């Protein structure tokens, strides 16, 4: 059992093994001793520690992982041994090159393996340093990149400006020594960090020596920053504000969705464990046979996991240095999501195949006795609403102690029979995963009629066993009666008549009930619709060439014949005036 120590390295916290800590401490102490009299010693040490912290962050998988001896030795191999840089190379300029040590060889190999990273170069910029950064990354002079921007602005009708602004916003600036070395593809080790820091100090020293203080003073008085720096700061602030707003939106949407999924999981997902009217409704729609709680659980993971990561993204936008959930948790969530999506796909296919085929079952029955008088046709409703769960068109009822599925998909049509007998054909249909099963489900539909005192009663509902589930069960009734038979469809049939009831009035199925009809050879003939016909004729608009007006002022008739001659007659208190063709008015 080894002890671990918590350390703060470059502003980051790590758990490190005690032996590894001792080795890292000795290594950093040796580096500090090698730069005792160096200019910029503190800056060099700070950059080296920041680089080591960056390497540790790349190697550990999660925040709980302990940095061990292997990680420390690997970092030392990358950074190099401090004694390799104690000797002043200028003293041995005339001596032949010696074979590099093992650490130098490792450093050389790392240098070959180092890949460039894209940053904006703040040391060689005119606006945002994008061109200089691209030049380092692509290995070309920044001048060519700047000429390319000018070409894009001119040839692309300003599109180059938009691309430049996007790169300015999205590409980070190389602000640290490590980032500047990575930008140029140089290995970030002790030697290069020291070299870069010293170059910075030498550059500052030269500028201090050669500066025109009078000119610099005037420049400082006129403006402390360039216009482009100010513009960059403003854009950065706006982008940050917009990003925070996006983060808030993501958090609200994701949290609302996840909460809704939780509620659905513990309500819809409780079907099979908790019994209630709404649970029966869900069960009867589930024809796949898969437990509803399994569907709810898979839906929760399939939809909830992406929104969970959106929630984390929103938090990451709002909170700096947000801790990661770890690779293990990410892989577990990814696996759950894939399993849920595949499971829902399979269950969806199974649910769809359960309604892939439609079949029917038909039975024809003859009326028990001849029709001697007007046949009245009524719709019969279900006996007691107290036995129903919802009192809707799609319902569950308790019939003789058994649970039944209640549906109101009933259509009734009238047609003429070929003989003097009346018949009722009942056509039942249902859906299932095969024709055979669909025919069985259709045959299990419970529907019957009755004839009492010359009144035919058709139920306005059908029943089937609860275990059959909802499979688009329907019943279509065709009443065949002899020609000349008079029928009276009661108003209770108003929403139950089909669309194949031809009649001489052109009435819709909704308007047929409430009238007496005589069965003809091809259509129904209305026996009490004359008054309605006369009324309809009176409501028709007269021909545009004929005008007859009768009101309290008298009678005004204006008729134009086929030759274009007019006949006008007006009767009022002044008498009768008649005008025909071009003749003058005649007063009677």
């Amino acid at each position: 059992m080894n002890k671990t120590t918590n350390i703060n390295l470059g502003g980051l916290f790590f758990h490190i093994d005690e032996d590894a800590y001792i080795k890292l401490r000795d290594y950093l102490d040796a580096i500090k001793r090698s730069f005792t009299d160096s200019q910029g010693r503190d800056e060099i040490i700070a950059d080296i520690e920041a680089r080591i912290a960056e390497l540790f962050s790349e190697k550990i998988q999660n925040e709980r992982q302990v940095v061990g001896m292997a990680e420390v030795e690997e970092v030392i191999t990358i950074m190099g041994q401090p004694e390799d840089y104690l000797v002043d190379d200028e003293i041995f300029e005339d001596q032949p090159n010696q074979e590099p040590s093992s650490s130098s060889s490792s450093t050389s190999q790392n240098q070959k393996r180092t890949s460039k990273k894209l940053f904006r170069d703040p040391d060689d910029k005119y606006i945002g340093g994008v061109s200089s950064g691209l030049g380092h990354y692509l290995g070309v002079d920044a001048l060519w990149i700047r000429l390319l921007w000018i070409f894009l602005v001119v040839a692309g009708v300003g599109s180059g400006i938009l691309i430049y602004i996007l790169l300015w916003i999205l590409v980070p600036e190389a602000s640290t020594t490590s980032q500047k070395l990575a930008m140029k593809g140089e290995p970030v080790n002790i030697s290069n960090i020291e070299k870069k820091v010293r170059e910075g100090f030498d550059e500052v020293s030269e500028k201090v020596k050669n500066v025109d203080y009078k000119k610099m003073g005037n420049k400082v008085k006129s403006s402390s920053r360039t216009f482009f720096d100010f513009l960059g700061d403003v854009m950065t602030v706006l982008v940050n504000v917009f990003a925070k707003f996006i983060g808030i939106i993501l958090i609200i949407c994701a949290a609302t969705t996840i909460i809704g999924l939780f509620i659905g999981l513990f309500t819809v997902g409780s079907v099979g464990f908790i019994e209630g009217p709404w649970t029966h409704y869900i069960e009867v729609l589930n024809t796949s046979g898969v437990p509803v709680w399994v569907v709810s659980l898979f839906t929760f993971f399939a939809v909830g996991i992406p929104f969970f990561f959106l929630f984390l993204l929103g938090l990451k936008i709002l909170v700096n240095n947000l801790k990661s959930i770890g690779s293990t948790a990410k892989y577990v969530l990814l696996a759950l999501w894939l399993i849920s999506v595949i499971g829902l796909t399979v269950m969806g296919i199974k649910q769809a195949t359960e309604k892939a085929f439609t079949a029917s079952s038909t039975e024809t029955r003859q009326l028990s006795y001849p029709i001697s008088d007007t046949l009245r046709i009524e719709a019969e409703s279900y006996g007691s609403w107290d036995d129903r769960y919802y009192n809707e068109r799609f319902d569950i009822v308790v019939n003789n102690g058994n649970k039944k599925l209640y549906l109101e998909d009933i259509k009734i049509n009238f047609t003429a029979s070929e003989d003097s007998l009346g018949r009722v054909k009942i056509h039942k249909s249902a859906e299932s995963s095969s024709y055979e099963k669909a025919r069985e489900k259709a045959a299990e539909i419970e529907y019957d009629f009755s004839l009492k005192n010359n009144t035919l009663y058709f139920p306005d509902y059908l029943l089937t066993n609860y275990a059959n589930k909802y499979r688009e069960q329907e019943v279509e009734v065709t009443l065949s009666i002899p020609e000349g038979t008079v029928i009276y469809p009661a108003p209770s049939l108003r929403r139950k008549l089909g669309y194949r009831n031809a009649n001489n009035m052109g009435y819709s199925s909704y308007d047929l009930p409430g009238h007496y009809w005589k069965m003809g050879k091809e259509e129904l003939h209305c026996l009490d619709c004359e008054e309605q016909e006369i009324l309809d004729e009176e409501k028709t608009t007269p021909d545009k060439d004929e005008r007859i007006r009768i009101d309290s002022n008298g009678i005004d008739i204006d008729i134009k014949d086929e030759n274009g001659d007019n006949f006008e007659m007006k009767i009022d208190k002044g008498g009768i005036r008649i005008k025909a063709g071009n003749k003058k008015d005649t007063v009677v």
Side-chain angles (χ1 to χ4, degrees):
M1 182 173 62
N2 297 329
K3 293 183 179 179
T4 60
T5 305
N6 296 330
I7 62 172
N8 183 349
L9 190 64
L12 300 177
F13 289 93
F14 299 97
H15 302 289
I16 187 169
D17 181 76
E18 185 177 22
D19 295 336
Y21 169 73
I22 294 172
K23 188 174 183 65
L24 179 63
R25 183 191 61 189
D26 294 341
Y27 177 71
L28 291 175
D29 289 342
I31 293 175
K32 291 177 183 178
R33 288 194 299 271
S34 66
F35 297 117
T36 301
D37 300 325
S38 298
Q39 187 182 23
R41 171 180 176 274
D42 294 337
E43 286 77 4
I44 295 172
I45 298 300
D47 281 336
I48 291 173
E49 289 184 353
R51 175 55 179 165
I52 294 174
E54 181 182 340
L55 292 174
F56 280 157
S57 299
E58 293 175 357
K59 296 181 183 303
I60 62 175
Q61 300 297 322
N62 54 68
E63 59 183 9
R64 295 183 178 180
Q65 183 176 341
V66 176
V67 177
M69 185 66 73
E71 287 79 14
V72 172
E73 290 179 349
E74 190 174 350
V75 167
I76 292 175
T77 301
I78 295 173
M79 297 298 294
Q81 296 291 341
E83 57 266 20
D84 294 338
Y85 313 106
L86 289 176
V87 182
D88 188 354
D89 293 337
E90 294 179 0
I91 299 175
F92 303 99
E93 283 181 357
D94 298 331
Q95 294 187 10
N97 293 331
Q98 300 176 356
E99 279 193 26
S101 62
S102 60
S103 60
S104 299
S105 178
S106 300
T107 305
S108 177
Q109 292 175 3
N110 283 306
Q111 183 171 359
K112 292 179 182 178
R113 291 194 298 267
T114 301
S115 59
K116 295 180 182 179
K117 295 182 180 179
L118 182 59
F119 290 97
R120 290 186 290 111
D121 188 358
D123 301 328
D124 182 22
K125 69 176 184 178
Y126 285 98
I127 300 176
V130 174
S131 299
S132 181
L134 288 172
H136 290 305
Y137 187 75
L138 300 175
V140 298
D141 195 302
L143 176 62
W144 297 106
I145 305 295
R146 293 184 176 109
L147 291 176
L148 179 62
W149 288 124
I150 296 174
F151 174 77
L152 287 175
V153 171
V154 175
V157 196
S159 60
I161 298 176
L162 178 61
I163 298 173
Y164 188 93
I165 292 174
L166 289 175
L167 290 174
W168 190 359
I169 295 170
L170 299 176
V171 177
E173 186 180 75
S175 55
T176 66
T177 303
S178 298
Q179 291 174 342
K180 291 177 181 178
L181 290 171
M183 176 180 66
K184 296 180 180 180
E186 299 179 11
V188 188
N189 52 31
I190 297 175
S191 175
N192 286 332
I193 290 175
E194 178 196 7
K195 179 182 176 182
K196 196 69 179 177
V197 173
R198 285 184 174 179
E199 285 178 355
F201 273 93
D202 292 341
E203 184 178 352
V204 171
S205 299
E206 289 297 324
K207 288 182 179 179
V208 171
K209 292 178 182 178
N210 301 325
V211 70
D212 187 343
Y213 291 102
K214 184 176 180 181
K215 183 177 179 181
M216 182 61 68
N218 293 332
K219 186 175 180 180
V220 170
K221 290 179 182 179
S222 62
S223 176
S224 60
R225 294 186 299 178
T226 64
F227 168 75
F228 291 114
D229 287 335
F230 172 75
L231 181 61
D233 292 341
V234 172
M235 292 181 64
T236 302
V237 171
L238 292 176
V239 169
N240 287 335
V241 171
F242 181 73
K244 300 296 183 184
F245 176 74
I246 295 297
I248 294 172
I249 296 298
L250 288 176
I251 290 175
I252 293 174
C253 293
T256 303
T257 303
I258 293 172
I259 291 172
L261 289 171
F262 263 116
I263 295 173
L265 180 63
F266 290 104
T267 52
V268 178
S270 64
V271 174
F273 302 102
I274 300 175
E275 186 171 348
W278 59 273
T279 61
H280 295 293
Y281 185 83
I282 295 173
E283 279 186 341
V284 83
L285 293 173
N286 178 26
T287 57
S288 65
V290 179
V292 178
W293 67 268
V294 175
V295 180
S296 299
L297 189 63
F298 279 5
T299 303
F300 176 78
F301 285 129
V303 180
I305 289 175
F307 277 95
F308 172 72
F309 281 105
L310 284 179
F311 182 80
L312 290 182
L313 177 61
L315 283 179
K316 192 172 183 179
I317 293 174
L318 293 179
V319 180
N320 296 327
N321 300 324
L322 182 68
K323 295 181 179 179
S324 175
I325 62 174
S327 299
T328 303
K330 292 177 182 177
Y331 291 140
V332 170
L333 290 175
L334 177 60
L336 285 174
W337 182 79
L338 289 174
I339 292 171
S340 301
V341 170
I342 294 172
L344 287 176
T345 303
V346 172
M347 288 184 288
I349 294 173
K350 184 173 177 58
Q351 177 80 8
T353 55
E354 286 295 321
K355 295 186 177 182
F357 297 92
T358 303
S360 61
S361 173
T362 304
E363 59 176 311
T364 302
R365 292 165 55 185
Q366 183 176 314
L367 296 180
S368 57
Y369 52 87
I371 303 170
S372 58
D373 198 358
T374 300
L375 179 63
R376 185 180 179 89
I377 305 170
E378 294 269 4
E380 187 178 28
S381 299
Y382 188 77
S384 174
W385 278 35
D386 295 336
D387 293 337
R388 294 171 59 180
Y389 279 81
Y390 312 109
N391 298 328
E392 300 292 341
R393 293 171 59 85
F394 176 87
D395 210 338
I396 298 169
V397 301
V398 178
N399 184 270
N400 297 325
N402 298 319
K403 226 167 18 174
K404 302 281 186 179
L405 184 62
Y406 169 99
L407 297 169
E408 295 185 358
D409 292 328
I410 308 295
K411 292 300 177 185
I412 301 174
N413 299 297
F414 306 123
T415 185
S417 63
E418 298 177 355
D419 50 28
S420 59
L421 300 176
R423 294 178 180 84
V424 176
K425 183 173 74 171
I426 301 176
H427 182 84
K428 308 173 185 177
S429 63
E431 297 176 345
S432 191
S433 57
S434 66
Y435 284 113
E436 292 75 14
K437 292 182 179 179
R439 191 175 294 110
E440 291 176 4
K441 301 299 180 185
E444 291 176 359
I445 294 174
E446 300 174 13
Y447 189 84
D448 203 354
F449 65 94
S450 61
L451 180 61
K452 300 176 183 178
N453 300 326
N454 239 40
T455 301
L456 195 57
Y457 295 94
F458 288 106
D460 62 357
Y461 63 93
L462 65 89
L463 297 178
T464 187
N465 288 330
Y466 179 81
N468 289 332
K469 304 297 183 68
Y470 176 67
R471 299 178 183 273
E472 301 287 346
Q473 289 93 337
E474 296 178 354
V475 170
E476 184 175 9
V477 178
T478 302
L479 174 61
S480 299
I481 53 178
E483 291 183 38
T485 303
V486 178
I487 62 173
Y488 176 80
S492 59
L493 290 173
R494 197 173 297 277
R495 298 186 180 277
K496 295 301 175 183
L497 296 184
Y499 301 104
R500 294 183 293 175
N501 293 303
N503 60 88
N504 66 329
M505 300 300 297
Y507 283 179
S508 66
S509 298
Y510 186 84
D511 296 324
L512 275 176
H515 294 285
Y516 289 91
W517 300 87
K518 184 177 181 179
M519 176 57 67
K521 186 175 182 180
E522 295 181 352
E523 63 181 5
L524 294 169
H525 296 271
C526 187
L527 302 180
D528 59 349
C529 299
E530 286 123 3
E531 295 181 1
Q532 185 70 25
E533 282 186 275
I534 294 171
L535 182 61
D536 290 340
E537 288 177 0
E538 291 178 352
K539 288 182 177 179
T540 56
T541 304
D543 188 271
K544 62 180 181 179
D545 293 333
E546 298 181 3
R547 180 172 60 83
I548 300 175
R549 182 175 58 82
I550 302 174
D551 53 24
S552 59
N553 295 323
I555 300 174
D556 189 0
I557 300 174
D558 187 358
I559 300 174
K560 181 183 292 185
D561 61 18
E562 57 185 5
N563 297 322
D565 295 331
N566 290 342
F567 173 79
E568 299 179 10
M569 181 175 69
K570 188 172 184 180
I571 302 174
D572 54 16
K573 295 178 180 180
I576 302 174
R577 291 187 294 276
I578 300 174
K579 181 180 179 181
N582 295 324
K583 296 180 180 180
K584 296 183 179 180
D585 292 350
T586 301
V587 180
V588 181

